[in-house]
Amino acid sequence: LLLQTSRRTGAETTMSRKFVADALSPPNMNPVEFKMDLEDVPFDLRRHLQYEPPSHVKTLEFKDVPFPYSPEIQRNFPGIAYTRPFRLLSDEGTRILKSIVMRYKDAHLKQNERNKCLRGLGYLSKWVRDFTFNPEVNKIFADLSLQPLSPHNGIMNHGHTNFGEPGAGRAVDQWHVDSTDYVCVLILSDMTDMDGGELQVLQMADATGKFFDELMVKGVPKSKVETVNYKGAGYCVFMQGSKILHSVTPVLKARGPRISFVQSFSNRNVFADDRTRL
């Protein structure tokens, strides 16, 4: 799809062109070990979504700007770093999604290099797949990023779910940058009386490559770290996690594990930098 926009400066007209690919379509087959459960309650946008936009967004210049964006901010937008926590799912939607996660936990939970995680829900659950590919849901994140986004083409990333066990004595997630361009991190656990499990973000843009390696040796400067607290289950943070260094602190005390459901997105602008890392 070719989109054309023109800008007139004095007597001259400059033409900028942006090629935007079609959004990713749902897969038409599953790996043999992932049989989709067609008995899930259908995803119902009116009942399961409860979008309450964030009041502010942190840009890649690490300045808070109000959302929705003003025309001036849109013209000079340096890119999103992360949002303030905002409500995404209703109580019913949160309950259904958490029940889906717990249904598949025993059979598909894995230990990776950072934490325990559940992958492949986009193959296993019809509810998760319909939620992932719903155009109105995806428009939320396109509006926040000011970019034409699509669910990431790595289907195993759809509904990637992390588990942070209380009292484990280690960070739920070590300092890292994400392997996909943008992510939405949605909390499914009861945060009441939880001590720890907080998102921390380094206020330095694009802390990757050699700079990242140096930080891992010298340590992350505490003066440049902001702590972000989720309000509760059904709330999320949307971030350009491939460009910002972030971590999740240890869960010291909680009523149960810290469960975060992660959706990954990529830019449909074919000339945008693809930061996917395998």
Side-chain angles (χ1 to χ4, degrees):
L1 175 63
L2 172 62
L3 302 183
Q4 292 185 341
T5 58
S6 62
R7 183 175 66 254
R8 184 173 296 276
T9 306
E12 297 180 355
T13 299
T14 61
M15 179 72 71
S16 62
R17 296 188 176 190
K18 183 183 293 184
F19 291 83
V20 179
D22 291 338
L24 183 71
S25 298
N28 56 16
M29 62 179 63
N30 278 16
V32 292
E33 66 270 31
F34 290 90
K35 182 179 179 181
M36 175 166 284
D37 184 354
L38 299 179
E39 301 305 315
D40 281 342
V41 176
F43 174 68
D44 187 325
L45 188 76
R46 292 171 298 176
R47 293 172 55 189
H48 300 157
L49 192 72
Q50 187 178 327
Y51 175 47
E52 299 171 4
S55 60
H56 289 77
V57 166
K58 186 83 76 168
T59 72
L60 284 176
E61 295 175 343
F62 294 97
K63 297 178 180 178
D64 269 316
V65 298
F67 184 82
Y69 305 123
S70 68
E72 180 180 358
I73 290 173
Q74 291 184 45
R75 285 193 298 270
N76 302 291
F77 194 60
I80 187 172
Y82 56 98
T83 67
R84 295 304 176 195
F86 63 94
R87 185 76 183 253
L88 185 64
L89 292 184
S90 67
D91 289 343
E92 181 181 2
T94 303
R95 177 182 55 79
I96 291 172
L97 181 53
K98 185 176 181 180
S99 71
I100 293 169
V101 166
M102 300 311 290
R103 182 189 314 163
Y104 294 108
K105 179 183 177 183
D106 290 343
H108 294 276
L109 189 68
K110 305 292 184 183
Q111 176 74 51
N112 64 18
E113 68 276 7
R114 297 204 309 259
N115 51 33
K116 292 181 179 179
C117 64
L118 172 63
R119 291 173 60 78
L121 285 177
Y123 286 122
L124 293 166
S125 167
K126 181 72 162 52
W127 193 100
V128 170
R129 182 174 293 184
D130 291 346
F131 172 61
T132 299
F133 287 94
N134 185 278
E136 292 189 48
V137 174
N138 289 318
K139 185 179 183 300
I140 292 170
F141 305 111
D143 289 347
L144 287 165
S145 64
L146 294 183
Q147 295 293 328
L149 299 187
S150 170
H152 196 273
N153 60 12
I155 307 298
M156 287 295 290
N157 287 320
H158 298 175
H160 173 109
T161 305
N162 293 317
F163 292 81
E165 298 293 339
R170 63 178 182 275
V172 174
D173 224 343
Q174 303 288 341
W175 287 103
H176 68 284
V177 291
D178 292 331
S179 58
T180 57
D181 297 278
Y182 299 83
V183 296
C184 167
V185 183
L186 173 67
I187 293 295
L188 297 179
S189 47
D190 185 354
M191 304 291 283
T192 307
D193 301 325
M194 183 177 288
D195 184 3
E198 299 166 313
L199 173 65
Q200 294 190 318
V201 185
L202 180 65
Q203 307 293 286
M204 301 174 71
D206 212 0
T208 57
K210 184 178 179 181
F211 182 57
F212 172 81
D213 295 336
E214 291 176 354
L215 284 173
M216 294 302 97
V217 174
K218 297 178 181 178
V220 174
K222 293 183 179 179
S223 61
K224 291 187 176 294
V225 173
E226 180 176 64
T227 298
V228 181
N229 292 304
Y230 291 88
K231 295 182 179 180
Y235 284 79
C236 70
V237 169
F238 176 66
M239 64 173 69
Q240 193 171 181
S242 60
K243 288 190 174 183
I244 55 174
L245 200 62
H246 55 285
S247 69
V248 178
T249 63
V251 178
L252 305 177
K253 183 182 67 174
R255 297 184 178 185
R258 180 190 188 273
I259 305 173
S260 57
F261 176 92
V262 184
Q263 293 285 62
S264 293
F265 301 88
S266 55
N267 198 327
R268 294 191 292 120
N269 179 349
V270 298
F271 292 116
D273 186 20
D274 183 359
R275 301 177 73 89
T276 301
R277 292 182 295 111
L278 300 178

